[in-house]
Amino acid sequence: MTTINNVFTSLPEHQNKEIIEILLEMGPSNTGHNQLKIERIISNGECSADGYWYQQQQDEWVIVLNGHGVLEFESGETVTLGKGDYCFIKSGLKHRVAKTSQTETTLWLAVHYFSDNNSAAKQSSHHCHIESISLEQAAHLLSNIPELAAEPKIDAEYLRNRIGNESFLALAAYVDEQPVAVKVGYQLNQNVFYSWLGGVDPEYRQLGLAQSLLSYQETWVEQQGYKQLRVKSMNIYPMMMQFLLKNGYKISGYQGNSGLDDAKIMFHKSFQ
């Protein structure tokens, strides 16, 4: 006999925590994870813990059936979903629940599944390496970073005008021989090197390339005899600031701008 259930009924009592119920599971896949999982998620004002990010190996399709919620992504982007709104979250993309309704129950339906082009299946077969590149190559790669779209036109001339005659290091991270990430820095004085511009193509942000570029740059800077590496970030990029702090950088200053979001936070790391 077919059993009929209703996603809107039999809601559990408020427990001061987000409640996740599995409605359907199918699998497992060859990765050991379920091929398909459907969840009912009940929120009553709860959100993800500070600093906690979901990073799933499966793609996710999620819809809000009641109430509203705000999703935050590692890039700083936020998406507000109201009743009937849905979105797709690619596998490996770090995200968290930043806010849910305080006045009514927020009811989510989340579908987790493996697609043919799932990034988790690709990562194990990638060949990655880093090498130094020209400013012309760096400018081309920087033009593909969406967070830098608000910058003045970034071309080789722009980079040269800023760097002048100072020593510089331009790096690219390659995945399967394709350049997909970039980092550019230059000398401020004989003791200080400045990490200026960089980023990773959004399609390749779950491969640890930012960490690899930073580690390569730090090693090079220390080998060249610099005593300090400096970098700036902004409030609109909280994950970048957490990334720097995790890597031993210290906040060393604040540079005001037109608003709090685009104010510059200055970091530095010292070498013996």
Side-chain angles (χ1 to χ4, degrees):
M1 181 177 178
T2 300
T3 301
I4 298 176
N5 296 307
N6 190 305
V7 72
F8 294 103
T9 61
S10 302
L11 296 177
E13 295 182 1
H14 186 194
Q15 299 180 18
N16 294 317
K17 65 178 182 179
E18 187 176 71
I19 300 171
I20 301 176
E21 297 178 332
I22 299 174
L23 303 182
L24 176 68
E25 285 182 302
M26 297 178 65
S29 69
N30 57 12
T31 65
H33 293 266
N34 290 313
Q35 190 70 29
L36 173 69
K37 181 168 66 173
I38 300 176
E39 297 173 334
R40 181 174 74 166
I41 305 169
I42 302 102
S43 306
N44 288 282
E46 294 87 8
C47 58
S48 301
D50 290 342
Y52 180 80
W53 296 85
Y54 294 102
Q55 189 176 20
Q56 299 145 180
Q57 292 194 21
Q58 294 166 299
D59 293 326
E60 178 181 358
W61 181 89
V62 61
I63 184 171
V64 171
L65 302 176
N66 191 72
H68 70 269
V70 179
L71 297 177
E72 179 184 4
F73 295 88
E74 185 181 23
S75 65
E77 177 189 10
T78 59
V79 175
T80 300
L81 299 177
K83 186 175 181 179
D85 293 334
Y86 58 85
C87 70
F88 171 78
I89 303 173
K90 187 176 180 179
S91 64
L93 187 62
K94 287 187 177 181
H95 63 286
R96 61 191 299 275
V97 178
K99 182 180 179 181
T100 59
S101 175
Q102 298 285 335
T103 58
E104 60 180 333
T105 296
T106 299
L107 183 63
W108 314 71
L109 191 70
V111 180
H112 304 268
Y113 62 96
F114 282 103
S115 61
D116 291 338
N117 62 348
N118 185 272
S119 63
K122 292 182 178 180
Q123 289 180 19
S124 61
S125 61
H126 281 314
H127 171 67
C128 306
H129 73 279
I130 294 173
E131 62 183 56
S132 59
I133 57 174
S134 68
L135 291 181
E136 285 78 9
Q137 291 171 302
H140 174 71
L141 292 173
L142 289 166
S143 68
N144 295 324
I145 308 302
E147 289 84 356
L148 299 179
E151 294 282 335
K153 180 182 178 181
I154 298 178
D155 54 20
E157 181 180 4
Y158 172 76
L159 299 180
R160 288 195 195 93
N161 288 340
R162 175 67 174 264
I163 295 171
N165 296 321
E166 300 294 348
S167 297
F168 71 90
L169 177 67
L171 299 171
Y174 290 76
V175 174
D176 300 331
E177 305 306 320
Q178 178 182 351
V180 297
V182 59
K183 200 170 190 67
V184 178
Y186 60 90
Q187 175 181 291
L188 292 179
N189 58 55
Q190 63 180 2
N191 291 318
V192 180
F193 194 85
Y194 176 53
S195 183
W196 177 27
L197 293 172
V200 180
D201 186 306
E203 293 296 317
Y204 294 86
R205 290 187 175 176
Q206 306 305 320
L207 299 178
L209 299 178
Q211 182 65 61
S212 296
L213 284 168
L214 179 64
S215 298
Y216 191 108
Q217 183 188 62
E218 288 181 353
T219 299
W220 183 90
V221 165
E222 191 169 12
Q223 289 175 345
Q224 300 305 307
Y226 295 102
K227 304 301 182 186
Q228 190 179 96
L229 182 57
R230 294 182 185 175
V231 63
K232 297 177 184 178
S233 188
M234 295 188 289
N235 284 323
I236 56 174
Y237 303 127
M239 289 305 298
M240 178 60 181
M241 293 192 287
Q242 291 179 31
F243 174 69
L244 291 170
L245 292 169
K246 178 182 176 182
N247 277 275
Y249 286 76
K250 297 180 180 180
I251 297 174
S252 57
Y254 176 86
Q255 181 181 328
N257 213 322
S258 59
L260 289 176
D261 283 347
D262 58 358
K264 301 289 181 68
I265 314 297
M266 292 169 276
F267 295 82
H268 79 268
K269 187 173 186 176
S270 298
F271 303 98
Q272 298 297 327

